Amino acid sequence: DGGITQSPKYLFRKEGQNVTLSCEQNLNHDAMYWYRQDPGQGLRLIYYSQIVNDFQKGDIAEGYSVSREKKESFPLTVTSAQKNPTAFYLCASSMEGNQPQHFGDGTRLSIL
Amino acid sequence: QKEVEQNSGPLSVPEGAIASLNCTYSDRVSQSFFWYRQYSGKSPELIMSIYSNGDKEDGRFTAQLNKASQYVSLLIRDSQPSDSATYLCAVNRGNYQLIWGAGTKLIIKP
């Protein structure tokens, strides 16, 4: 079955530590996205990528970094510069920009 | 003014009744519109896509789009307790970016 796999499901970060969230898709979608969701709020775009080796900042990119070396993979690194990283992180993909986005199951990140 | 606005709710509807969810958006050049359902603690799941004015039906769900008035709505007929969730409206700016509403919490009362 085609889909989007995010790992891990839960992640804990220590002070000063960088952590990387994994996102893999086998839908053959060109575009991939990372969102952050805080309790009771909508989704906010962190980064998106239209094609391999290219990505753009979203509304809240500070303290985060991404790479897109393969079509299937779009990992997100939460750096120590992100002072409030506790949130639900969602990865999504779409065939094109005007098409619906499909989501993985998400990763919950907390501070130890 | 927020770019995409939804009533946060909760909207309480008796089982078997019609649930009506509304969303307004500010950018007139928006081209595509989506409704997602999100259960508590889970990721959003696509319910409906709509691209042109009018109604689009899929089973118990009907999406309605009025670009002149800049609103999109979702009707759920014969509401079931399993429809209880938060419904997110998303609007495409036309450049790979979706703008999301904060969601409406729907509660179906048995």
Side-chain angles (χ1 to χ4, degrees):
Chain A
D1 278 340
I4 301 173
T5 301
Q6 289 187 243
S7 62
K9 222 175 196 32
Y10 300 94
L11 187 58
F12 297 91
R13 196 192 84 170
K14 295 179 182 177
E15 286 288 336
Q17 186 182 42
N18 293 351
V19 293
T20 297
L21 284 60
S22 172
C23 178
E24 302 275 335
Q25 56 101 357
N26 61 4
L27 298 168
N28 200 33
H29 285 171
D30 288 317
M32 296 186 74
Y33 312 81
W34 274 105
Y35 291 95
R36 168 180 173 142
Q37 187 176 35
D38 293 283
Q41 297 190 29
L43 279 64
R44 292 186 290 168
L45 183 64
I46 305 173
Y47 271 98
Y48 67 102
S49 169
Q50 299 177 34
I51 56 172
V52 175
N53 293 323
D54 187 49
F55 50 82
Q56 286 77 41
K57 293 182 179 180
D59 299 319
I60 56 165
E62 187 173 347
Y64 301 97
S65 66
V66 293
S67 63
R68 186 87 186 276
E69 297 176 1
K70 297 187 300 182
K71 186 175 184 177
E72 302 80 20
S73 179
F74 192 40
L76 173 74
T77 296
V78 184
T79 74
S80 57
Q82 172 50 244
K83 297 307 179 188
N84 183 23
T86 297
F88 188 36
Y89 290 86
L90 290 157
C91 178
S93 70
S94 69
M95 185 62 72
E96 296 174 345
N98 209 32
Q99 297 299 307
Q101 296 178 13
H102 300 274
F103 288 83
D105 289 338
T107 293
R108 291 198 180 277
L109 176 61
S110 302
I111 297 180
L112 273 179
Chain B
Q1 181 190 7
K2 291 182 182 176
E3 292 188 73
V4 176
E5 295 208 53
Q6 296 181 254
N7 188 321
S8 62
L11 175 64
S12 186
V13 173
E15 183 176 356
I18 295 175
S20 178
L21 303 160
N22 299 312
C23 171
T24 59
Y25 60 95
S26 60
D27 191 343
R28 287 194 168 272
V29 302
S30 299
Q31 299 175 4
S32 50
F33 307 84
F34 307 98
W35 282 100
Y36 287 80
R37 176 176 63 197
Q38 187 175 26
Y39 292 115
S40 180
K42 303 295 186 182
S43 61
E45 172 191 9
L46 180 69
I47 298 294
M48 294 283 285
S49 308
I50 187 164
Y51 300 90
S52 55
N53 279 331
D55 295 0
K56 179 182 177 183
E57 188 174 317
D58 184 1
R60 296 186 297 112
F61 299 96
T62 299
Q64 300 174 317
L65 175 60
N66 184 323
K67 289 187 178 181
S69 300
Q70 295 175 244
Y71 83 79
V72 57
S73 62
L74 179 70
L75 301 178
I76 307 174
R77 289 181 299 281
D78 188 24
S79 296
Q80 303 296 309
S82 59
D83 294 326
S84 297
T86 295
Y87 288 80
L88 302 171
C89 172
V91 175
N92 191 296
R93 284 173 170 164
N95 60 351
Y96 284 81
Q97 295 190 47
L98 285 182
I99 308 303
W100 294 81
T104 298
K105 184 172 183 178
L106 176 65
I107 298 172
I108 306 300
K109 298 182 298 183

